[in-house]
Amino acid sequence: MKKRIEIVLGAVLFGALTGCIGYVDSPHHAHGYGQPPLVYAQSAVVVQADYVYYPSYQVYYSGNTRQYVYQDGHSWVSRSAPPHVSANVLLASPSVRLDFHDSPSAHHATVVRQYPKNWKPQGSNQGHSEGHNDHN
């Protein structure tokens, strides 16, 4: 009798497991099966800009983003090249490292007053000697 119970329980267990596997591979009733919703995850790395300003050209450069930021008419643009001047000429001109990490447009009026187009770093032969540090 004990042997017969073990065989019946084994058959029931086998039938239950076989039925589950068949359902997972291919459901028999499509009306009861729904696709799970698609989930899109977007990961982003936030890089704070570190700006160097070139007063002669009124151009900002961020080494972290590798973008030049400047005003084009009434709009602010961000490009991989400076406007109307080669990068080498721009890099050879006086510059100053700025201490803000948001958009230059938010600070431009103050920056232009503090560093006019003819601004030169302290210790240069010409221009202002206001004690501002050059980034080079």
Side-chain angles (χ1 to χ4, degrees):
M1 182 75 168
K2 185 176 178 185
K3 192 78 158 164
R4 190 177 280 181
I5 293 174
E6 289 176 355
I7 292 173
V8 171
L9 287 175
V12 170
L13 182 61
F14 179 77
L17 291 176
T18 304
C20 288
I21 292 171
Y23 178 76
V24 171
D25 286 342
S26 60
H28 298 293
H29 303 290
H31 67 284
Y33 179 79
Q35 289 283 358
L38 296 175
V39 177
Y40 295 98
Q42 182 177 1
S43 63
V45 175
V46 177
V47 177
Q48 282 191 336
D50 61 330
Y51 290 104
V52 173
Y53 179 63
Y54 296 90
S56 299
Y57 300 95
Q58 293 189 351
V59 172
Y60 300 82
Y61 178 75
S62 171
N64 288 341
T65 63
R66 297 181 182 191
Q67 294 287 305
Y68 294 91
V69 180
Y70 53 92
Q71 202 168 10
D72 186 8
H74 295 292
S75 302
W76 283 89
V77 296
S78 178
R79 303 276 192 265
S80 60
H84 313 294
V85 64
S86 74
N88 290 336
V89 170
L90 185 74
L91 292 173
S93 70
S95 63
V96 62
R97 188 171 299 278
L98 300 174
D99 191 25
F100 62 82
H101 300 288
D102 56 343
S103 174
S105 64
H107 306 274
H108 187 64
T110 303
V111 171
V112 169
R113 277 192 306 273
Q114 197 169 10
Y115 304 103
K117 283 190 173 195
N118 61 352
W119 178 85
K120 303 286 184 216
Q122 182 178 3
S124 66
N125 293 336
Q126 308 170 4
H128 301 281
S129 55
E130 299 177 15
H132 300 292
N133 293 327
D134 155 308
H135 78 95
N136 293 327

